[in-house]
Amino acid sequence: MALAAPTPEPLASLQTREVRRGDRIFRGMTLGSGLLILGIIVAIAVFLVWKAIPAFRVAGLHFLTEKTWFPDATPAKFGVAALAFGTVLSSIIALVLVVPVAIGAALTLTELAPSRLGTIGGYVVDVLAAVPSVVYGLWGVYFLVPRLVPMQRWLDHHAGFIPLFQSRNDTFGRSVFAASVVLAIMVLPIVAAISREVFRQVPQANREAALALGATRWETIRIAVLPPSRSGVIGAVMLGLGRALGETIAVALVLAASFNVNLHVFEPGGNTIAANIATKFGEAGILGREALIASGLVLFVITLAVNMVARAVVYRTTRIAEGKV
Amino acid sequence: MIALTAPVALQRPSLSRAQLGMVGAGAIGLTAVLFAVAPFQGVLDFLLVAYLMYLAAQTGVSYVVEGSRSAKNRLALTLVVSALFLALVPLVAVLSYTVQRGLEAISPGFFTHSMSGVGPLENAGGAYHAIIGTVEQVLIASIISIPVGLLAAIYIVEYGRGALAYWVRFFVDVMTGLPSIVAGLFIFAFWVLGLHKGFSGFAAGMALAILMLPIVVRASEEMLKLVPDDLREASYALGVPRWRTILSVVLPSASAGLTTGIILAVARVTGETAPLLLTAFGFDAIRTNPFSGPQSGLPLFVFTQAGSAFAVAINRAWAGALTLIAIVLLLTVIARLLTRRNRLA
């Protein structure tokens, strides 16, 4: 005779329901945090636009063409032309200086150095990235700027026919070039670290195949490591660009601010959007602050675009390397 | 019978380390002679000329002895390795110069006095008020961003599927590149202007939280990914629900790595100056309440002192910079030491 087994069903379903509720709540919390991050990006855009509208109304289209910055004068006269020029120019010079060094350093760490040295390289990159920008700025003003002058003077005397190297009044110092060198030092860690990750993704078999064909170490790097890493390194450089465009305090300390569009980067002067916000904020009036927010919006849009493209490029390469595409 | 021919050399001769050393010594010697007769001077110039000489001599000798491919190889590898050393130069220069200037300027009074009532030419005052501000602001930033960042990382690793998780991850990455001044401007537009709350340490804490959030998410995400699936499956097999598995199995096994990531994030935002300028604004006296009124912060203190024309203020800036670097490096070293105890990495 079959015993009527007590059905455990109610208990089980009760438990499942409770478990499911716990899971739902927890999952909801994690999802909420993820959405909060998307929300912050949207909120940044919304609030900057909202608070910048009065400044845009006053300046109109001149905001993009005007070079000077007198938002609190009557009539107010201000625009981002000189600032945007200085921002882009200093960042590009910084990249020209830093890219060969960063790629060389990353190649040394992945291709040539024993792996223990690679770990120490990781520490060093961490430390370089952790030094606050205000310290770089202070060091830039009191250590770097005076030490760059002889080199600039030499270039001015011997290659002054190139406008980039010419200083028309024979003064050097707190120039766009000096700011670019500081920027280069500051973006070095990020470019080197990401390039290193990209080189690491290259399958060991590529290198072994090249070496087996009798290639030298350099030929191996050139034919087996660099080509598949190309777009990843481009992404790394663009991330460095994003960092350089937005750097504020170091540039604000190093530059002797002036509002002009000038390719003579050895001459003191020049300014960037971010540095201008830092130096002008304290003394700005109501419209002055709104104008600074408007310039910040321009910076936000530029860096967001650069970062999104850079990330998309890096994503694509790493996903190809992981075999997901 | 087969006639034996002389064996063909399969390998060209290659330069030994000693021979390369001789090339190097020759380059230095030649540079020294050059500097003795020509109007050159300076240690840096000497090093640069000697380096270029060595590059040329090494390439030339290698070309003659080893052939063109090897010469190219030696030249390229020397340049690549030089890049690493060149990258180390600014690190050494920044740290040593800051320590040197900072030690000259720092005094015990620096940590026990504020800038309240200090005249522009007085060799007095300190960063006590700024250190209080920084501790409070970073604490507020941590309280906001650590839970949110951890939860978001859990979403990405444990729950996230499909397009939404991809976009969250993508924008976290994009957010790591957000200029710190923009984070400050946002809090200024939203909190100070929009909600009329005024400048405060809390506003600065929120701005720092925005900068800290993506760093926490990225670091936690990497760590959670390292937790082996076996652990999760073992927990499920015992009937433990998913959320309990995450809280009591996944997080504890990743705890060392998570702590490392969080400490590095704290170190990173402790040095941020630009957002403080727009949110805490700066204040010369001690203000312990972060919720009302402007406050100072250590990086902001360094920035304002550095902008002064007077030597006493510049000295205070160096003392502040040394303090800041000491805090940040200490945090970085602690984080690295914890990595050693990380069983997953």
Side-chain angles (χ1 to χ4, degrees), chain A residues 23 126 142 214 218-219 315, chain B residues 69 73 80 173 243 314 336:
Chain A
D23 254 339
D126 265 356
Y142 289 98
W218 169 243
E219 284 162 347
Y315 266 37
Chain B
R69 284 177 60 210
N73 182 43
V80 163
D173 274 345
W243 66 282
I314 307 296
R336 278 291 157 191

Side-chain angles (χ1 to χ4, degrees), chain A residues 233-250:
Chain A
V233 172
I234 291 173
V237 172
M238 290 189 66
L239 288 175
L241 175 64
R243 197 59 63 89
L245 289 170
E247 176 47 43
T248 310
I249 292 299

Side-chain angles (χ1 to χ4, degrees), chain B:
Chain B
M1 211 177 147
I2 303 161
L4 283 170
T5 49
V8 182
L10 286 175
Q11 233 182 339
R12 295 193 63 152
S14 69
L15 292 166
S16 69
R17 283 217 173 139
Q19 285 165 322
L20 284 172
M22 277 158 62
V23 172
I28 293 173
L30 205 59
T31 317
V33 171
L34 195 68
F35 270 62
V37 295
F40 292 127
Q41 53 190 340
V43 180
L44 267 181
D45 293 14
F46 185 91
L47 289 177
L48 188 67
V49 173
Y51 177 72
L52 292 176
M53 286 250 191
Y54 176 75
L55 273 189
Q58 183 205 48
T59 312
V61 170
S62 171
Y63 186 84
V64 172
V65 179
E66 301 174 315
S68 72
R69 284 177 60 210
S70 189
K72 227 190 263 175
N73 182 43
R74 284 196 189 281
L75 177 64
L77 293 190
T78 312
L79 286 173
V80 163
V81 174
S82 314
L84 181 66
F85 286 100
L86 191 59
L88 292 178
V89 170
L91 179 73
V92 175
V94 170
L95 293 183
S96 59
Y97 193 68
T98 309
V99 169
Q100 184 203 328
R101 293 291 301 262
L103 285 179
E104 284 169 16
I106 215 160
S107 65
F110 184 75
F111 300 104
T112 52
H113 289 76
S114 76
M115 287 302 294
S116 179
V118 175
L121 282 168
E122 265 182 277
N123 186 14
Y128 180 57
H129 62 305
I131 293 170
I132 290 178
T134 286
V135 168
E136 288 181 355
Q137 290 151 16
V138 171
L139 208 63
I140 290 166
S142 307
I143 291 169
I144 298 172
S145 65
I146 292 172
V148 175
L150 260 182
L151 284 170
I154 292 172
Y155 172 73
I156 293 170
V157 177
E158 305 286 335
Y159 289 107
R161 299 279 175 276
L164 186 62
Y166 175 86
W167 285 114
V168 170
R169 204 180 149 224
F170 181 76
F171 274 100
V172 166
D173 274 345
V174 169
M175 233 175 124
T176 54
L178 184 78
S180 59
I181 190 102
V182 172
L185 269 182
F186 165 60
I187 294 299
F188 174 68
F190 160 68
W191 187 258
V192 180
L193 287 184
L195 298 177
H196 304 289
K197 298 286 187 188
F199 298 110
S200 67
F202 182 69
M206 282 194 295
L208 294 180
I210 290 177
L211 296 169
M212 201 174 153
L213 192 54
I215 314 178
V216 172
V217 179
R218 281 311 315 250
S220 314
E221 191 195 329
E222 294 303 323
M223 282 305 130
L224 293 178
K225 271 189 196 154
L226 288 178
V227 177
D229 272 338
D230 300 1
L231 282 182
R232 294 186 182 89
E233 282 156 14
S235 173
Y236 296 151
L238 292 172
V240 181
R242 198 162 180 183
W243 66 282
R244 293 285 317 239
T245 304
I246 293 168
L247 286 182
S248 47
V249 176
V250 177
L251 287 186
S253 37
S255 64
L258 292 174
T259 324
T260 301
I262 288 166
I263 294 176
L264 283 177
V266 169
R268 201 67 63 84
V269 298
T270 303
E272 284 293 352
T273 316
L276 304 189
L277 205 57
L278 311 184
T279 51
F281 201 71
F283 195 58
D284 276 347
I286 297 163
R287 191 190 297 279
T288 47
N289 180 3
F291 293 98
S292 82
Q295 202 179 30
S296 191
L298 196 51
L300 189 53
F301 171 85
V302 176
F303 180 64
T304 28
Q305 298 298 321
S308 160
F310 302 113
V312 285
I314 307 296
N315 280 336
R316 281 193 292 264
W318 281 113
L322 177 61
T323 315
L324 201 54
I325 277 206
I327 295 172
V328 166
L329 288 192
L330 190 70
L331 287 172
T332 312
V333 169
I334 291 174
R336 278 291 157 191
L337 289 180
L338 275 172
T339 320
R340 291 215 188 136
R341 292 177 43 196
N342 188 354
R343 280 157 294 159
L344 294 170

